[in-house]
Amino acid sequence: MAAVGEQLERVVDRDFYAEKFADAGVDPTAVDSWADFRSLPFTTAGEIEADFEAAPPSGSLYDGAAMVTFSPMGEQLRPVFDTADDLDAQAAANADVLERAGVEPGDRVVNTFGYELFGTGYVLHRALERLGAEVFPLGPGDSEQAAATIEAYDVDAVVGNPSFALKIGAEGGSVDTFVGAGEPFTSIPGRREAVKDALGASTAVDYFGTRHIMPVAAETAAEDGLRVVDDYAVVEVVDPDTGEAVADGERGEIVVTHLRKEGVPLVRYRTGDLAELAVRDGTVVLPDGVIGRTDERLKVKGVKVYPESVETVIAGFEGLTGEYRVEVSQPETTDRLVVICEGEADADELRAALADRLIVTPDAVELVADLDEPGVVDERY
């Protein structure tokens, strides 16, 4: 709890948190147990956005910065402020993550994350330099150039979006190690194998972070689930409705607290991302990565269903376009769940895959050549 206490001391005098803690009737300086910690109020994206609106352009959490980047929050891009100490802490944490993922000192690494506006490429660039790698700051966009660079300089690893890695592989680029982030990766059935095959890689690992909290969790070279980077962040998985912690093996919303952050520090921040919880040897693990969002959850046959989880399933079927509609009705006394997908696939295989991800078996899966109205339709109310 020592690191948690130190972080709470950093935020207690910020107007944003001083007001939140006072309204909740809690004293953050008295937190000395996990029960005390869970009594602290959640922080939401909407609250941070309102803080920016109330004190434009920086909000009350601004306390100077060495770098200003941006991240989507609500319907707008909002600034992310990093102090010099923040950048050093992120570099150290990410260097450890990348080394555990299989990147070694002296490796040549192509970084295909963006350097402009969002700054993810820059953050990981610093980590790779700290690790002792040779970095090629190519950024996204030109897969042909990336593949040519990889082959010309015998590059060992690529970091970037999995979808872009597939394009690099299609252009002939091959590496030993790939670290993927920025979009669903291992949560999509078959996506890891597809990336490894495309790049001829022996290792492909998943990384989860947001521009506000980077890193949150990442796999090691063992490819056995995303382990929380517990010296940089506290991660909880909670029931989106009650806010209570879920049990081992259950799914819920990822909630993250910075342990070392000066610029826009976040305490119990609700990410809106959905994952399952596992605890292995005292370490929190997200075994299947991020499997969807909590924004449009439904209760079907007594089970919480997250429609956006459908995306990670259908992305694993080559014949599907990615367009889908979820329909829920109650023709008699029992809920009926129907998933309609655009494209071609084996309906039985798709239904089984959806049942595994949604934890409720669709009553029907329909395949159509042209889906005119994608989305979620709940006809019960």
Side-chain angles (χ1 to χ4, degrees):
M1 292 299 300
V4 173
E6 291 172 4
Q7 180 64 13
L8 291 175
E9 288 179 4
R10 294 188 186 102
V11 307
V12 67
D13 293 328
R14 309 283 181 96
D15 290 345
F16 176 83
Y17 283 112
E19 183 176 341
K20 277 181 66 68
F21 294 149
D23 288 346
V26 297
D27 179 5
T29 62
V31 170
D32 60 5
S33 69
W34 290 117
D36 290 341
F37 176 74
R38 292 192 177 98
S39 72
L40 299 176
F42 291 113
T43 301
T44 67
E47 290 172 333
I48 297 292
E49 189 172 15
D51 185 63
F52 281 123
E53 294 288 352
S58 305
S60 69
L61 290 175
Y62 175 77
D63 193 30
M67 182 175 78
V68 182
T69 55
F70 293 84
S71 179
M73 183 169 281
E75 296 182 356
Q76 299 187 43
L77 291 176
R78 296 296 183 182
V80 178
F81 301 105
D82 289 301
T83 68
D85 284 345
D86 290 338
L87 293 173
D88 285 343
Q90 289 175 64
N94 279 302
D96 289 343
V97 164
L98 291 166
E99 188 167 26
R100 290 194 291 269
V103 181
E104 300 180 354
D107 278 356
R108 289 179 169 173
V109 183
V110 162
N111 184 358
T112 64
F113 284 113
Y115 282 71
E116 299 177 359
L117 192 63
F118 300 114
T120 302
Y122 179 72
V123 171
L124 290 179
H125 186 122
R126 284 180 58 108
L128 289 163
E129 286 184 333
R130 188 183 186 102
L131 177 57
E134 294 182 7
V135 192
F136 292 71
L138 300 191
D142 193 334
S143 55
E144 185 178 359
Q145 181 190 57
T149 301
I150 288 168
E151 295 309 299
Y153 291 91
D154 193 22
V155 169
D156 300 287
V158 169
V159 297
N161 297 138
S163 58
F164 191 57
L166 290 170
K167 294 179 181 179
I168 292 174
E171 296 290 346
S174 61
V175 294
D176 293 329
T177 303
F178 173 71
V179 180
E183 62 190 33
F185 182 20
T186 58
S187 59
I188 299 175
R191 182 57 58 90
R192 189 202 306 269
E193 291 73 17
V195 169
K196 291 174 75 169
D197 288 345
L199 294 174
S202 58
T203 305
V205 304
D206 203 348
Y207 172 110
F208 170 59
T210 72
R211 186 57 198 89
H212 292 87
I213 307 173
M214 214 179 143
V216 174
E219 288 188 298
T220 69
E223 300 178 346
D224 61 351
L226 284 74
R227 296 176 177 271
V228 168
V229 185
D230 55 13
D231 60 349
Y232 187 75
V234 173
V235 171
E236 306 167 78
V237 181
V238 306
D239 184 304
D241 295 320
T242 67
E244 296 297 320
V246 302
D248 193 355
E250 295 184 3
R251 64 184 55 181
E253 181 179 4
I254 301 172
V255 175
V256 187
T257 298
H258 281 124
L259 284 179
R260 292 182 288 171
K261 194 71 165 70
E262 295 175 339
V264 192
L266 298 176
V267 176
R268 303 200 79 199
Y269 178 71
R270 300 186 70 149
T271 66
D273 292 302
L274 180 69
E276 292 182 354
L277 170 72
V279 179
R280 301 174 186 166
D281 300 325
T283 299
V284 176
V285 179
L286 312 179
D288 294 315
V290 175
I291 58 177
R293 297 280 300 171
T294 64
D295 305 276
E296 292 185 327
R297 59 188 178 275
L298 304 167
K299 200 162 188 177
V300 181
K301 301 179 183 180
V303 177
K304 290 187 179 70
V305 173
Y306 301 90
E308 288 197 10
S309 299
V310 173
E311 294 180 16
T312 62
V313 175
I314 63 178
F317 288 77
E318 292 185 1
L320 299 178
T321 67
E323 296 292 331
Y324 69 94
R325 182 166 71 245
V326 174
E327 296 180 350
V328 185
S329 61
Q330 197 176 72
E332 295 180 355
T333 58
T334 303
D335 292 338
R336 177 176 171 80
L337 174 65
V338 178
V339 180
I340 305 170
C341 299
E342 185 178 83
E344 297 180 354
D346 184 296
D348 290 336
E349 289 185 10
L350 178 57
R351 185 167 181 257
L354 287 168
D356 183 61
R357 180 52 50 85
L358 298 176
I359 319 184
V360 60
T361 302
D363 294 281
V365 170
E366 299 176 8
L367 298 166
V368 298
D370 185 17
L371 183 64
D372 53 354
E373 293 184 12
V376 179
V377 179
D378 191 343
E379 299 175 344
R380 295 172 296 178
Y381 308 107

